[in-house]
Amino acid sequence: MSKVSIATRPLVYSTFLYINNTPWNALAEYIDNSLQSFIAHQDTLTKINPDGKLRIDIQMNQDTIVIRDNAWGIEEDNYQRAFELANIPLDASGLSEFGMGMKVSSIWLSNIWKVETCEYGSGVKKTVVFDLEKVVQNQETEMVVLEESASKCDHYTVVTLTQLSQNRPKQFAAVKRHLSSTYVKFIRDGILELVVNDELLTMPEPKVLFAPYYKDAGSKDKQSIQWREDINFEAGKYKVRGFIGVLEVMSNNKENGFLIFRRGRAIGNTGDDKLRPIELCGHVGSPQYK
């Protein structure tokens, strides 16, 4: 048995319940951690995982949320960092950038959370339980780590949230829509299988209009064109790539609008709330908007 630091003033944790957040953004923090763990060890995990993919399974109801993955497991070198606030991971170039996600999301969503993990090749399963009420009352700055023997072939992390707060997910369909659009690139690239309440999330490629310019509709020489324009430019040290297009079929708050990606995942506006700047999309409800 060992201990892991959660060094901060315990009363600070209680404030996390009231930060501005959404259930899908909170859940995305766990997915980011799993993806980063998989990507960092992709050469090995693609050989030993079924279908060579990362699988993340989220089960949620009104009482409990369980997030399970088959990534590498929390590495020994990062284990202490995983539970301290703002302790940046050794590699901050990926999705787990600031060292805040799992802790803040877990407290925002629940009063008690448990993390079980086994790093591939370690032969050790580690379990930590965080009880917000006890941490605050007893001014705790460390948590006990229970260690058990495991197969050296095991590799996973399971986060179980219980005694859910008022922030718990209530509209499961909305959570699925937002998560599928947030991780659409990883899903389409065949890296990620994301399952929520037994549903494998998908997001088909939008169908772009293939038709002649409307002013040429009556012309004998009319030619159909693909109404899509690729975007590729640099702004200082930043590179921007993507595309803009006209949908084959009008859509209202479903397929229409823009997703903005950073490091492979959509940020900001996702699900039904995609980015729709009036300069490009026009006013709500107009044909241009749809």
Side-chain angles (χ1 to χ4, degrees):
M1 184 176 70
S2 59
K3 291 187 177 181
V4 64
S5 171
I6 54 173
T8 191
R9 289 183 178 274
L11 288 174
V12 171
Y13 290 117
S14 299
T15 66
F16 295 163
L17 284 166
Y18 307 104
I19 64 173
N20 186 23
N21 204 354
T22 63
W24 42 87
N25 283 336
L27 291 170
E29 298 292 349
Y30 305 102
I31 300 172
D32 284 353
N33 289 343
S34 298
L35 270 167
Q36 188 56 41
S37 173
F38 178 84
I39 292 168
H41 302 280
Q42 194 166 357
D43 288 347
T44 301
L45 291 174
T46 50
K47 296 174 183 176
I48 62 177
N49 279 3
D51 301 322
K53 298 180 181 181
L54 167 67
R55 181 183 174 94
I56 302 173
D57 193 308
I58 300 174
Q59 296 292 325
M60 53 186 176
N61 54 45
Q62 294 303 312
D63 302 312
T64 307
I65 300 172
V66 181
I67 305 105
R68 183 187 308 271
D69 73 29
N70 64 348
W72 189 262
I74 301 177
E75 297 169 294
E76 182 65 31
D77 290 344
N78 264 322
Y79 197 82
Q80 289 289 332
R81 290 176 173 83
F83 298 96
E84 283 189 348
L85 286 176
N87 196 333
I88 296 172
L90 290 173
D91 180 7
S93 63
L95 295 170
S96 303
E97 187 174 359
F98 301 110
M100 297 289 286
M102 180 179 71
K103 287 84 71 172
V104 174
S105 290
S106 296
I107 295 169
W108 190 78
L109 287 167
S110 67
N111 294 307
I112 299 176
W113 47 280
K114 177 173 68 173
V115 179
E116 303 166 90
T117 189
C118 185
E119 180 186 3
Y120 182 69
S122 70
V124 178
K125 172 189 174 182
K126 297 182 178 181
T127 302
V128 165
V129 178
F130 183 103
D131 185 320
L132 179 61
E133 184 177 348
K134 289 182 179 179
V135 167
V136 173
Q137 284 183 352
N138 301 330
Q139 297 287 294
E140 295 177 1
T141 58
E142 291 181 320
M143 291 190 296
V144 173
V145 181
L146 299 177
E147 298 185 358
E148 306 173 57
S149 296
S151 168
K152 289 198 172 185
C153 295
D154 289 347
H155 54 98
Y156 60 83
T157 297
V158 182
V159 180
T160 303
L161 312 174
T162 54
Q163 290 191 16
L164 300 185
S165 72
Q166 69 272 16
N167 302 317
R168 68 187 183 278
K170 300 178 182 67
Q171 298 177 330
F172 297 157
V175 171
K176 293 176 183 179
R177 288 197 301 273
H178 282 276
L179 291 182
S180 62
S181 60
T182 300
Y183 296 98
V184 59
K185 187 176 187 302
F186 295 103
I187 292 170
R188 288 178 181 163
D189 288 348
I191 293 173
L192 173 64
E193 284 188 348
L194 182 54
V195 178
V196 179
N197 282 0
D198 300 318
E199 179 184 344
L200 179 64
L201 302 189
T202 61
M203 191 172 178
E205 190 81 28
K207 293 183 179 180
V208 177
L209 180 67
F210 185 74
Y213 183 42
Y214 80 97
K215 289 185 178 180
D216 297 336
S219 171
K220 293 181 180 179
D221 300 324
K222 66 180 179 182
Q223 291 185 334
S224 292
I225 59 174
Q226 193 81 35
W227 289 85
R228 168 182 168 137
E229 184 72 21
D230 289 332
I231 298 168
N232 191 345
F233 68 90
E234 296 185 13
K237 65 178 181 180
Y238 299 105
K239 297 180 180 178
V240 182
R241 295 185 179 88
F243 75 93
I244 179 173
V246 177
L247 289 171
E248 182 180 83
V249 178
M250 287 186 181
S251 175
N252 199 350
N253 294 347
K254 295 294 182 183
E255 292 187 338
N256 62 318
F258 293 88
L259 289 172
I260 307 298
F261 294 85
R262 182 174 185 269
R263 298 184 178 181
R265 56 111 74 197
I267 57 174
N269 302 79
T270 58
D272 297 344
D273 302 319
K274 295 187 184 73
L275 185 65
R276 300 182 180 96
I278 193 169
E279 297 86 352
L280 289 169
C281 300
H283 293 282
V284 175
S286 68
Q288 182 179 344
Y289 178 88
K290 296 178 182 179

